Amino acid sequence: MKRTIDDNILAKYFDHTATAAELEETNNWLEEDPENEVLLKQYHQIWTASNAEVKNFEPNVKAAWQQIEPKLQVHKKQPNYLRIAAVAVGVLLISTYLILTNNRPTEYLSFKSEADTQIKTLADGSTITLNSFSLLEYPEEFESDERRIKLIGEAFFDITKNPDKPFIIEANGTEIKVLGTSFNVTARDENVKVSVNSGRVEFKKTEKKKVILEKGDEAIYESKKDTITATAIFDRNVFAYKTKVFEFKNTKIEEVVSTLNKGYKSNIKLEGSNWENYALTTKFENENLFEALGIIAETLDLKVENKDKSYILVKNTVSE
């Protein structure tokens, strides 16, 4: 039968506190079986990593320890230093892993739009509609205690609600923080505008310079003034490129054309001059561009001509 050795003797052997008799017993044990030398190295790695000398403690036996313990037939009535060391190493490794995981830099993926709008669904189910010529940077998975992304350009956000993991957008040095809502962010230059369609949003530059916005509110951060100003939404069509809902109330035709061009990514033009007396009151809900132009033409007595990939609005009668 293979002779065993007390793990407490091995602990003293590693700690250079073994007596002469214990050193002799350890050396004899090593000489008896080459496998014992392998076991000694394994224990020494555990002992070195933990550097622990905890006494009078009986931890749960780890799976790795269970594979080695039968070979040594360790006595269980005495304080078990190496078993304690094995558990300490496990705790140390887990703690180190968590620290490294939480502090490692987040890797971001890129998603961009060019002439047309693009829609991106994130890992949490949130959907983002990028307006033309915009860039979104986002992680493949939201592994930390927040959902953080970056935006250059303009986008409409429909955020999945998660009170335990706020959604944060970085845009030109500002932050927009939400729990679950829909809103628009415009960050095409050094200024940033946030317009809220539903829910509540925190918009800030610093902790002392922030505002809370609710449905129907918007705020603008002006870089040169370093100020954030909140107001009611001025342009009711700010969400139109996403929703395809356009609303006009006695709106001058020049502004109507500009809004539709942005929303449909089209090229509508007015022929000639003297359009100041033409204004439109109507609402488009999911009409395509051709249908919208037909309504405008009928309402204002105009013709629509298609030339070189452009739509031209032409007066039927000469203005006085």
Side-chain angles (χ1 to χ4, degrees), residues 120-139:
K120 180 65 181 178
T121 301
L122 302 182
D124 66 339
S126 298
T127 58
I128 300 174
T129 303
L130 282 185
N131 206 349
S132 56
F133 303 105
S134 299
L135 174 67
L136 179 72
E137 293 185 347
Y138 63 97

Side-chain angles (χ1 to χ4, degrees), residues 131-269:
N131 206 349
S132 56
F133 303 105
S134 299
L135 174 67
L136 179 72
E137 293 185 347
Y138 63 97
E140 186 172 1
E141 298 287 342
F142 294 110
E143 296 179 342
S144 66
D145 56 359
E146 63 182 18
R147 297 170 287 170
R148 183 176 291 270
I149 67 168
K150 303 174 184 179
L151 172 70
I152 298 174
E154 182 176 11
F156 182 90
F157 295 83
D158 193 351
I159 304 304
T160 299
K161 189 173 183 179
N162 185 347
D164 298 325
K165 186 175 286 192
F167 196 99
I168 299 174
I169 303 155
E170 296 180 15
N172 291 343
T174 66
E175 287 189 357
I176 301 98
K177 180 179 179 181
V178 298
L179 298 179
T181 183
S182 60
F183 56 97
N184 195 76
V185 178
T186 304
R188 294 195 179 278
D189 50 30
E190 67 273 14
N191 300 328
V192 181
K193 182 173 74 171
V194 179
S195 307
V196 180
N197 186 52
S198 65
R200 299 175 77 241
V201 170
E202 179 187 274
F203 180 31
K204 74 175 184 178
K205 175 63 176 178
T206 64
E207 284 299 326
K208 293 183 178 180
K209 196 170 295 181
K210 64 182 179 181
V211 295
I212 302 297
L213 305 175
E214 298 183 345
K215 179 180 179 180
D217 294 340
E218 71 180 9
I220 299 177
Y221 169 72
E222 295 183 76
S223 178
K224 291 183 179 179
K225 297 180 181 179
D226 194 27
T227 59
I228 295 179
T229 305
T231 63
I233 291 178
F234 176 75
D235 181 7
R236 61 176 57 88
N237 294 310
V238 65
F239 309 118
Y241 73 91
K242 163 63 170 66
T243 63
K244 292 298 182 286
V245 175
F246 299 84
E247 186 174 357
F248 303 104
K249 291 185 178 181
N250 198 32
T251 306
K252 291 186 177 298
I253 190 62
E254 292 91 344
E255 184 179 339
V256 172
V257 167
S258 176
T259 299
L260 294 180
N261 279 335
K262 292 177 182 177
Y264 287 106
K265 314 307 174 193
S266 57
N267 188 22
I268 307 168
K269 297 179 180 179

